[in-house]
Amino acid sequence: MGASMTMLKGTNVPVAAQAVRVELGWRAAPGTPDVDASALLLLGSGKVRSDADFVFYNQPSHASGAVRHEGKRTAAGAATDTLAVDLARVEPAVDRVVLAASADGGSFGRVSGLYVRVTDAANGAELARFDSTDATVETAFILGELYRRQGAWKFRAVGQGYGTGLEGLATDFGISVDEPQQPARAPQPQPPHPATRVAATPPPPQYAQPTLAAPMAPPVPPAPPAPPVAQPVRLTKVTLTKEAPSVSLAKQGGTSGAMRVNLNWEVRKQFKGWGSKLGRAVAHHADLDLDLCALYELTDGRKGVVQALGNAFGALHQPPYVQLDGDDRTGAVASGENLTINLDQKARIRRLLIFVTIYEGARSFADLHATVTLQPQHGMAIDFSLDECTVPSTVCALALITNTGTDLTVQREARYLVPQRGVSPQRTIDQAYGWGMNWTPGRK
């Protein structure tokens, strides 16, 4: 099926692949609602076995490993949210995988260019595509479904809308939804306010890693996981703003398992009010290399940094209980930069500062729109946008995670720092937050 071919509602095509990626896409224009992809694994009865058969932003992986929510990406005005489906791992009891979209902050009548496409995970070849063009007041859609016939998989274009949002759609298939008695989703963040201007010289291209004298203790074996407790799913997201900058992980359910921290960004191709020629001149920022990093301090006093520089990727099941995904130098990875925090070891963590540095490709964050998402394995997603950068900053403090003694709190920082001449971004962030480490030059 060629890229220009789109299926008609109700038609089906064979899916001759062991594993596929399901890409939900739309045009990210101002005033467009945010769109979320989700999947439901259904029995022949047309219902789920339990709430665990619902894969979405607050429950990103199915226990079987068959379906995984990979997350969003925005580039050049096109937005996508992607699911990975390993058809070979779908349990025999599952008859079909329903592929849905929900709109956050408006109806699908305000979303242009909505489509779903299925590609072969092995080679990226497009296997199926369905464009939804007739939406009006719907706030959720079943765009398509993967289903079995005589032992083989097919994709059907569905295009069925719901006026009751993700909650109504999920409830129809047997999901029990537990929502607070208030609007179902947190308000969208307000437009960013310009950061305070700081007079400073642009920083030199210097990057650093710490020299740590304290030896690392032997790894502590991880505690056995607690048995899962069945509870209704929560569809709510927590959005941190300047007015409400912090949240307790315990209060929103994220107290155990792994917490994934994701930084995703879009490069503005053109400065507002400036000519398109200059806009084209800054297009090289698409080759930007950002590094997601974390300063850590453990309750036993040990301190350090997790970053790609110096291959200090950390570890999840031994100190520092923070691990960085492999550094992607090409920008080809769809889900931005990610690190993972082991919440089962939260009692051993005193504080973590998540920050980002520009390794190469730009002199400051001025041309970026970035979003930070913290996704606990059990609990609601926490997200926030970074303010517009108006200073020559190469390092930005994103979030401060602090152990209060009984809980971890997440504080939105969104703070751009401007290194003094000759001072590395890492040392600059250390000084701003009083970590007190010694730093030496390092390389990737």
Side-chain angles (χ1 to χ4, degrees):
M1 167 163 280
S4 60
M5 296 276 291
T6 183
M7 297 172 66
L8 297 174
K9 197 179 292 190
T11 58
N12 63 72
V13 293
V15 175
Q18 289 290 301
V20 297
R21 295 179 80 241
V22 179
E23 179 185 282
L24 179 70
W26 65 99
R27 280 199 280 279
T32 300
D34 194 20
V35 179
D36 294 298
S38 57
L40 296 117
L41 289 79
L42 305 184
L43 303 175
S45 64
K47 299 286 184 182
V48 296
R49 292 166 293 186
S50 74
D51 293 344
D53 284 339
F54 185 27
V55 176
F56 70 118
Y57 48 79
N58 278 351
Q59 197 163 271
S61 296
H62 192 262
S64 66
V67 183
R68 191 175 70 254
H69 181 243
E70 289 197 334
K72 294 184 182 172
R73 186 167 180 83
T74 306
T80 58
D81 197 8
T82 304
L83 298 159
V85 184
D86 188 340
L87 297 170
R89 294 174 72 175
V90 176
E91 298 143 304
V94 174
D95 181 64
R96 58 193 166 121
V97 179
V98 166
L99 306 167
S102 55
D104 183 13
S107 70
F108 275 108
R110 290 167 51 196
V111 178
S112 59
L114 181 67
Y115 69 86
V116 62
R117 72 184 195 114
V118 180
T119 60
D120 188 330
N123 59 21
E126 185 175 286
L127 305 174
R129 178 184 174 113
F130 172 56
D131 289 80
S132 174
T133 57
D134 55 358
T136 54
V137 299
E138 298 87 352
T139 47
F141 257 100
I142 297 172
L143 289 171
E145 61 183 18
L146 294 159
Y147 66 100
R148 297 186 206 256
R149 281 295 177 273
Q150 282 98 40
W153 284 94
K154 291 189 166 190
F155 171 82
R156 179 185 289 118
V158 178
Q160 178 187 344
Y162 287 72
T164 48
L166 187 58
E167 181 175 357
L169 185 151
T171 306
D172 258 18
F173 291 105
I175 299 292
S176 47
V177 174
D178 173 26
E179 287 298 311
Q181 297 304 308
Q182 59 190 46
R185 299 285 281 266
Q188 290 296 294
Q190 295 301 306
H193 300 283
T196 308
R197 287 192 175 273
V198 179
T201 52
Q206 178 183 343
Y207 303 87
Q209 59 195 48
T211 51
L212 299 173
M216 294 297 263
V220 178
V229 178
Q231 56 187 8
V233 297
R234 298 291 292 269
L235 303 183
T236 319
K237 290 180 187 174
V238 178
T239 299
L240 301 182
T241 62
K242 279 185 175 174
E243 295 72 32
S246 64
V247 66
S248 147
L249 281 181
K251 283 182 183 172
Q252 59 82 49
T255 55
S256 62
M259 180 165 71
R260 189 164 172 260
V261 180
N262 168 261
L263 174 71
N264 219 324
W265 64 89
E266 174 188 6
V267 178
R268 282 187 297 180
K269 292 291 190 292
Q270 188 172 332
F271 294 102
K272 286 179 185 173
W274 290 10
S276 59
K277 184 185 286 187
L278 184 55
R280 287 195 298 273
V282 300
H284 71 276
H285 286 316
D287 300 325
L288 197 62
D289 184 14
L290 299 186
D291 281 347
L292 188 63
C293 315
L295 284 176
Y296 65 83
E297 182 180 359
L298 304 181
T299 48
D300 64 8
R302 278 181 284 176
K303 297 175 182 179
V305 69
V306 174
Q307 61 179 7
L309 205 59
N311 295 318
F313 288 101
L316 206 54
H317 298 294
Q318 62 189 60
Y321 312 111
V322 179
Q323 189 165 25
L324 183 68
D325 287 11
D327 184 40
D328 174 53
R329 301 298 298 279
T330 67
V333 172
S335 54
E337 290 266 310
N338 300 279
L339 59 81
T340 307
I341 301 165
N342 185 347
L343 295 180
D344 292 331
Q345 300 292 337
K346 62 183 178 291
R348 301 173 186 269
I349 297 169
R350 181 170 291 153
R351 58 178 180 153
L352 297 170
L353 181 69
I354 314 296
F355 67 99
V356 59
T357 66
I358 296 175
Y359 187 72
E360 62 189 13
R363 290 172 67 85
S364 85
F365 290 106
D367 303 322
L368 294 186
H369 291 306
T371 303
V372 181
T373 305
L374 296 91
Q375 175 63 73
Q377 193 169 332
H378 310 289
M380 292 181 277
I382 301 164
D383 64 15
F384 60 88
S385 297
L386 296 186
D387 295 333
E388 190 172 336
C389 178
T390 60
V391 295
S393 168
T394 52
V395 59
C396 179
L398 300 176
L400 183 63
I401 302 172
T402 308
N403 189 337
T404 65
T406 55
D407 184 18
L408 291 180
T409 60
V410 178
Q411 169 91 19
R412 174 191 189 269
E413 293 295 312
R415 182 179 170 193
Y416 295 105
L417 299 174
V418 182
Q420 297 295 318
R421 185 174 293 282
V423 178
S424 70
Q426 290 86 346
R427 190 190 299 267
T428 299
I429 205 129
D430 178 317
Q431 290 170 350
Y433 286 86
W435 235 262
M437 297 194 299
N438 295 315
W439 295 87
T440 56
R443 296 187 66 82
K444 282 207 268 189

